[in-house]
Amino acid sequence: DVVYAGGDFTQAGGSDFVSAWHSIGWQGLGAGTDSGVYALADGGTRVYVGGGFASAGGVSNTAGIAFWDKPGWYALGTGVNGSVGYSVNAIAVNGNDVYVGGIFDDASGVPVTNTAKWNSVSGWSALAPGISDNGAVYAIAVSGSDVYAGGGFRDRDNGAPNRIAKWNSGTG
């Protein structure tokens, strides 16, 4: 079994900010990221990481979100961006879909509001109408066709979620 760890540490098994624990000890995931990792999700053969980093393993277009698939790091589109800053704080994997939450307003050129979905075939898409600009998403989970987000947000549109919201892939 393998246990993955991410955070604000440096040099665990030769990687910065993200590493894996195997029965023989810590092993790095390449060069790691260039800044803190705030979220990890195991996608089977892939390990998705999110955070405030600009680069994972020196690979371009990995701002805020990337995945490790031995032997290296890979981008999800051109990453996420924000007009003030960006970070991915939460990741959930459901089949071929990767849901992310945090603080960002752009995912590879697609306008989003703190939540987005990555699909390896279709790329990034928004979970309309998104989560309020005035609060970050810190947790995300998927159950069937429902995506749940929790965080510091309040009063989004007329639905007025208060720190937790549900989005349905069929009904919005």
Side-chain angles (χ1 to χ4, degrees):
D1 290 336
V2 178
V3 176
Y4 297 98
D8 282 328
F9 59 86
T10 57
Q11 292 301 307
S15 282
D16 290 335
F17 305 105
V18 61
S19 291
W21 174 262
H22 299 267
S23 60
I24 58 172
W26 287 106
Q27 292 183 322
L29 302 182
T33 62
D34 65 2
S35 188
V37 170
Y38 310 145
L40 287 162
D42 187 351
T45 61
R46 296 178 174 178
V47 177
Y48 295 90
V49 298
F53 51 85
S55 175
V59 175
S60 61
N61 297 327
T62 54
I65 182 78
F67 70 89
W68 169 263
D69 192 353
K70 199 171 187 177
W73 287 101
Y74 298 90
L76 278 74
T78 57
V80 297
N81 299 290
S83 55
V84 176
Y86 63 87
S87 70
V88 171
N89 303 327
I91 305 171
V93 179
N94 186 20
N96 291 326
D97 297 328
V98 178
Y99 296 89
V100 298
I103 304 170
F104 49 88
D105 56 23
D106 177 285
S108 295
V110 175
V112 297
T113 309
N114 298 335
T115 57
K117 178 179 84 169
W118 168 264
N119 179 281
S120 60
V121 174
S122 57
W124 287 106
S125 61
L127 304 184
I131 299 293
S132 174
D133 291 332
N134 63 4
V137 172
Y138 296 111
I140 198 160
V142 180
S143 177
S145 59
D146 296 328
V147 178
Y148 297 89
F153 53 86
R154 296 183 66 136
D155 301 325
R156 177 64 181 167
D157 295 331
N158 294 328
N162 194 9
R163 295 180 175 68
I164 190 164
K166 178 178 82 170
W167 178 81
N168 181 281
S169 62
T171 61

